[in-house]
Amino acid sequence: MAVIKAKNVLKDYHLEGQTIHALRGVSLEFKSGEFAAIAGPSGSGKSTFLHLAGCLDAITGGTMMVGGSDVGKMTRKDLALLRRHNIGFIFQAYNLIPVLSVEENISFPLTLLGVDKKEIKERTAKVLADVGLEEMAKRKPKEMSGGQQQRVAIARALVKKPALILADEPTANLDSKIGREILELMLSLNESEGCTFIFSTHDQMVMDYARRLVRIRDGQVEADEVK
Amino acid sequence: MAGNRELAKIALRNLARHKVKTVLTILAVMVSVSLYIFVDSWISGMSMESRRNIVNYEMGAAKLQSKLYFEKKDEMPIYENFAGWEAYQKALDEAGYYSAPRFVFSGTLFSVDGSAPIVFNAVDPVAESKVLRYTTYTEAGRYIQNGAFEIVLGTIAAKKLKIDLTKGPNPVQISAVIDIKDSLGKIRHVYQLIPAVVVGTINSPNPVTNANIAYIPLDVLQDESGMMLEGHVTELLIRDKNRGDAELPGKRESAAVISAALDLPSELGIFTWIDYSKDYIDYEKLEIGATKVLTMLLFVLAFLGISNTILMAVLERTKEIGMMRALGMTDNQMVLIYMFEAGFLGLIGSIFGIILGCAINYPMVKYGLDFSEMREAMGADASFRVASLFRSTWNISVIIGAGVAATLLSACMAFFPTRRAVKMPITDSLRFE
């Protein structure tokens, strides 16, 4: 089943009177359970595609189906609910809520979903154990290293068991050792939980780990290789 | 759906991000709320006390009077008087009201050492003391008695005329013009000089009774040695026998109810203390309005502070807002978080403001402030009828209302900055530096 189905997707930005064609007719399909990377140089359009797939931005043309829904035809509220229920995000800059503890950050998506307290506690404890941060549950993000914060971000994306996890350059701020650990973790979670991971990256290590590698250049798919 | 409790928890924790800014904003709300409570309590206290003092010391609950007199009351048209008041007094007595006849006229009072324009109230001392309470506030000497050309003066008038009651009798001369309306409606003026002796001075809680005012027995002014009144009066003051001094007149002292107890000719009417105190009530409204506007300005400043705090918070957390929206928070939930945050600032400020306001208010209610010297300098104007001790009063609905309003208004101040922030595309929010 296709988690994402992009057909001839266009995305234009308007900057200082100029139109920038970030995506020029991208057609891609990602199936459930994939562990894929979208690679390309800076400005190639890889992050743009990830943002459109995550319903963080609106397409200029074409169609983008996420979880079977045409996101181009959805309201702001429906898009928020789609993100809430089906999509987990991992950002390059972690983007944790600084005033919440590690476990509160992780449980936040479940709170948004209205999961009952007991289940929130159990599921949070499980993902905390999965990412190896049981001892740090009560810490605040600022009291942790970059690698630890990225683990929290992964746990936060995973905790609601979304159909799709989108990771925008997840290793960019980490050294290679920590980056490898994070990738190992995501791979094992992909295998154990069966959720789809799609990365945007220009990190060779991420490309090596990916089971499918899509190369984008100048807003167009250059190559799509399943390993 | 995320419970509002969860959003409130985040909002509450956000307050701890910039403690100094939070404390300063809370302080601004606190000062505004406390000042509002204090000023409102003070004005309410002054208003209540003034209204009581008008009724208890100045004019009773209502006056029976010629309608023509009432129309021209500012000119003091003494020719619009009436006779036969004794029958009305009897009827009022039977209906449960005290009443006191008065003939009010203006003139000049000459003492050995000076002169002053005075409003003279010719009264029945016995009836007067049943309707009004100033009679017990003789600062020096005693109150007037029937059958003698005696005068009690307001303390301010006594000072002007250099009346010293410790140094024997104080002879004075009343110079007044008697306006008499003849059968053709023409008004004749008769100048009259009446000798009298000052026997006391009045210093009651109502400054009007202490100003350029004199009380003289009505009975001695009836013939040609007085004001040639021949049984006429300008008014009959009325008071319910059963109403306590702390209460304001109720329905029983309304014009309709009092009139029903009397068989009045068309030229006479009942005019209540409210009809008579229009100037004061207008002044009170103006004073309250002006003071509240000033206090509101403080509120506005406090809310601008809150607006600024939230605006800065929204700007600083633009990236975080983008992230939370990416996680699936709706625009309304985002707005609600910041409204909670601003609401908490307002709530905490309000709680401290109420505590501070009540703390300042407590001595003002219990002991009051003595402004007697200032009041003396002001004389008897149309302002608050409080002679010396200005007291506040507890106004629970305003105290709670100020807190609730400050909290809700604070919350509302977050609406527009947050609403604007959530309109930004999520990707722009996430890239925001």
Side-chain angles (χ1 to χ4, degrees), chain A residues 13 51 55-57 76-77 80-81 83-84 89 91 93 95-101 104 108-109 111-114 117 140 156 160, chain B residues 1-3 5-7 9-10 13-14 17 319-320 323-331 333 337 422-427 430-431:
Chain A
Y13 291 112
H51 291 155
C55 311
L56 301 181
D57 209 347
R76 287 166 68 90
K77 190 179 177 186
L81 296 177
R83 288 194 297 270
R84 183 185 296 177
F89 287 96
F91 299 102
N95 286 353
L96 302 175
I97 303 172
V99 292
L100 299 183
S101 67
E104 286 167 338
F108 186 69
T111 315
L112 285 177
L113 286 169
K117 275 189 179 172
K140 291 277 167 64
R156 183 179 65 186
K160 63 183 177 186
Chain B
M1 267 295 280
R5 212 172 135 189
E6 205 61 32
L7 304 182
K9 187 170 88 179
I10 295 173
R13 298 226 185 136
N14 280 340
R17 290 192 194 213
K319 208 167 191 169
E320 203 174 304
M323 181 273 296
M324 290 169 109
R325 290 171 65 204
L327 291 182
M329 282 191 78
T330 60
D331 294 356
Q333 286 177 315
I337 282 190
V422 297
K423 291 291 171 205
M424 188 188 271
I426 298 175
T427 45
L430 289 169
R431 275 194 291 265

Side-chain angles (χ1 to χ4, degrees), chain B residues 95-117:
Chain B
Y97 298 98
Y98 290 124
S99 60
R102 270 188 177 190
F103 193 96
V104 184
F105 61 100
S106 62
T108 306
L109 191 65
F110 294 91
S111 69
V112 176
D113 297 311
S115 65

Side-chain angles (χ1 to χ4, degrees), chain B residues 131-430:
Chain B
V131 175
L132 299 174
R133 304 290 178 252
Y134 75 88
T135 55
T136 56
Y137 283 88
T138 42
E139 189 181 53
R142 59 170 173 81
Y143 193 59
I144 49 174
Q145 288 171 352
N146 274 326
F149 281 93
E150 295 179 344
I151 277 184
V152 286
L153 282 172
T155 44
I156 293 169
K159 262 187 193 170
K160 275 185 192 164
L161 294 165
K162 299 189 177 86
I163 301 293
D164 186 354
L165 291 162
T166 60
K167 293 178 182 169
N170 283 271
V172 287
Q173 291 267 5
I174 300 167
S175 166
V177 178
I178 308 168
D179 297 334
I180 301 164
K181 202 190 225 177
D182 62 22
S183 55
L184 298 170
K186 207 170 175 188
I187 295 160
R188 286 189 298 116
H189 307 288
V190 178
Y191 293 90
Q192 187 73 318
L193 214 56
I194 306 162
V197 177
V198 178
V199 295
T201 56
I202 298 289
N203 193 7
S204 89
N206 183 336
V208 169
T209 65
N210 314 333
N212 282 3
I213 203 156
Y215 302 90
I216 183 166
L218 181 65
D219 61 350
V220 298
L221 299 182
Q222 298 303 311
D223 58 24
E224 286 180 355
S225 61
M227 294 285 287
M228 297 179 278
L229 302 181
E230 293 171 346
H232 288 72
V233 293
T234 52
E235 60 202 35
L236 197 62
L237 309 186
I238 301 164
R239 177 194 184 100
D240 181 5
K241 287 180 181 175
N242 297 318
R243 180 172 50 77
D245 287 356
E247 300 163 55
L248 282 176
K251 206 175 170 185
R252 233 184 85 70
E253 287 166 294
S254 66
V257 174
I258 296 171
S259 299
L262 301 167
D263 183 17
L264 290 177
S266 61
E267 67 268 22
L268 296 181
I270 301 292
F271 302 95
T272 65
W273 71 277
I274 293 173
D275 300 327
Y276 240 88
S277 307
K278 199 177 169 303
D279 284 353
Y280 166 73
I281 289 167
D282 287 347
Y283 165 82
E284 188 186 279
K285 276 185 193 160
L286 191 75
E287 189 76 11
I288 290 172
T291 314
K292 286 200 171 168
V293 165
L294 283 176
T295 323
M296 281 295 174
L297 282 176
L298 266 176
F299 254 79
V300 168
L301 285 178
F303 292 130
L304 283 177
I306 287 178
S307 182
N308 181 56
T309 301
I310 295 299
L311 194 68
M312 298 303 285
V314 166
L315 266 177
E316 181 193 279
R317 297 178 218 153
T318 301
K319 208 167 191 169
E320 203 174 304
I321 290 171
M323 181 273 296
M324 290 169 109
R325 290 171 65 204
L327 291 182
M329 282 191 78
T330 60
D331 294 356
N332 288 346
Q333 286 177 315
M334 281 314 313
V335 171
L336 207 56
I337 282 190
Y338 285 89
M339 285 181 78
F340 273 135
E341 189 172 333
F344 281 134
L345 286 171
L347 178 67
I348 298 167
S350 294
I351 291 170
F352 284 116
I354 287 172
I355 293 169
L356 181 66
C358 291
I360 304 170
N361 225 20
Y362 179 76
M364 284 301 295
V365 173
K366 189 153 190 196
Y367 308 109
L369 263 182
D370 191 346
F371 281 96
S372 48
E373 281 184 22
M374 192 176 86
R375 284 310 312 224
E376 224 175 276
M378 285 163 70
D381 53 14
S383 63
F384 289 115
R385 302 295 210 278
V386 182
S388 53
L389 208 56
F390 285 23
R391 272 181 204 270
S392 298
T393 183
W394 292 115
N395 195 340
I396 301 300
S397 59
V398 166
I399 291 171
I400 295 169
V404 171
T407 305
L408 292 179
L409 281 171
S410 302
C412 290
M413 296 311 285
F415 182 79
F416 291 105
T418 320
R419 191 82 201 153
R420 204 174 53 183
V422 297
K423 291 291 171 205
M424 188 188 271
I426 298 175
T427 45
D428 288 358
S429 299
L430 289 169

